[in-house]
Structure formats: structure tokens, C-alpha cells
């Protein structure tokens, strides 16, 4: 015997499920998002190291017309998506988006069209994905994540506020409920 839901009932039941599976709900989810952001940053701009200089897929693919732009947009979008899923503050997400867009614009040649091949060299030097990834990871590391629904009178929240006010390394509290 099959149970059928009306469109309204299905929409009501589907929304919390979609939200719960998309946005981080546990400290493990946050840690997975953080690890993914760090991995994308390293893969994009620090895959091969030469002392303090590094090059990654982003710099290598910049030399292939079309492929560099595609990779830049995809990797940048994925960085921002993972940052959103980890509940990074919107200002940090916006700053990261500007960095990724600047990096992509360089690859498209819109910033320096007279340089031609020089824009690929600039991409190799401007490690925008790594920079954005580091910003996102820092924002995650500076956040206290509390499990459960928002409760501004809970002992855990009050303890977190006390630590922040004392000048601890954390600067923000996010409820994961």
C-alpha cells in the first residue's frame, strides 16, 4: 500500500530535510567543510612548491584557453559553497568572492587584455583561490559552533560569550541546530 502526499505536504516535509543535508549541522560537518576548503586551496595554488612559491591546477590550467577559466569558476564557486555550508560570516564570503572573481577576471584577460600570455603569468603569481581558502578557514577557526537550536540563555552560549569577551581566539558563535 503506497502513501501519497499532496504537493503542500511534500513541500513542508522536504524543506527541513533539504536544509539539514545542505548546511552543516554538527561539528563533524564543520570539520569536513573546513578540510574541503583547505584541500581546494592547496590543490588550486600550492600543488607543486618551489620554496615560498607554489603553483597548482589553477596556474597550470591557466595556460590552456578555456580550461583555466572553467576551473577557476568551478573551484571558486565550490570554495564559496563550502564556506556557506560551514556557516562562514557573509562578509567573509563576500570578500572571498571578490578575490575569486578578480582571479577569474585576470584569467579571462578582462583586466589586462594587452598582456595576452602575460595574464597566465599573473594567474600563476596571484594565488587567489589559496588566499580565499585561507580566509574561509580562518573564519571557521575563529567561530565557536554550538550544537542544538539557538538558545541565548544556555550555559554553553554564556560560557562562549565570556571566552570571547576575555579576548580569546574565537570571535563568533554559531548554533548548529
Amino acid at each position: 500500500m503506497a502513501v501519497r502526499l499532496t504537493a503542500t505536504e511534500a513541500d513542508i516535509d522536504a524543506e527541513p530535510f533539504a536544509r539539514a543535508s545542505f548546511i552543516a549541522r554538527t561539528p563533524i560537518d564543520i570539520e569536513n567543510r573546513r578540510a574541503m576548503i583547505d584541500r581546494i586551496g592547496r590543490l588550486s595554488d600550492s600543488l607543486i612548491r618551489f620554496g615560498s612559491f607554489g603553483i597548482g591546477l589553477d596556474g597550470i590550467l591557466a595556460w590552456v584557453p578555456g580550461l583555466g577559466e572553467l576551473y577557476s569558476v568551478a573551484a571558486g564557486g565550490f570554495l564559496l559553497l563550502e564556506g556557506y555550508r560551514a556557516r562562514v560570516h557573509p562578509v567573509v564570503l563576500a570578500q572571498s568572492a571578490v578575490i575569486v572573481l578578480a582571479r577569474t577576471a585576470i584569467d579571462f584577460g578582462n583586466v589586462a587584455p594587452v598582456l595576452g600570455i602575460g595574464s597566465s603569468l599573473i594567474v600563476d603569481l596571484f594565488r587567489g583561490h589559496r588566499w580565499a581558502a585561507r580566509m574561509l578557514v580562518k573564519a571557521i577557526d575563529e567561530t565557536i559552533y554550538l550544537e542544538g537550536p539557538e538558545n541565548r540563555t544556555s550555559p554553553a552560549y554564556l560560557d562562549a560569550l565570556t571566552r570571547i569577551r576575555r579576548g580569546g581566539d574565537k570571535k563568533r558563535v554559531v548554533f548548529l541546530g
Side-chain angles (χ1 to χ4, degrees), residues 6-16:
T6 65
T8 307
E9 290 171 328
D11 291 342
I12 291 170
D13 290 342
E15 192 274 329

Side-chain angles (χ1 to χ4, degrees), residues 47-48 55-64 124:
L47 192 59
I48 302 168
I55 190 167
L57 283 178
D58 195 25
I60 294 168
L61 295 177
W63 293 92
V64 181
D124 289 343

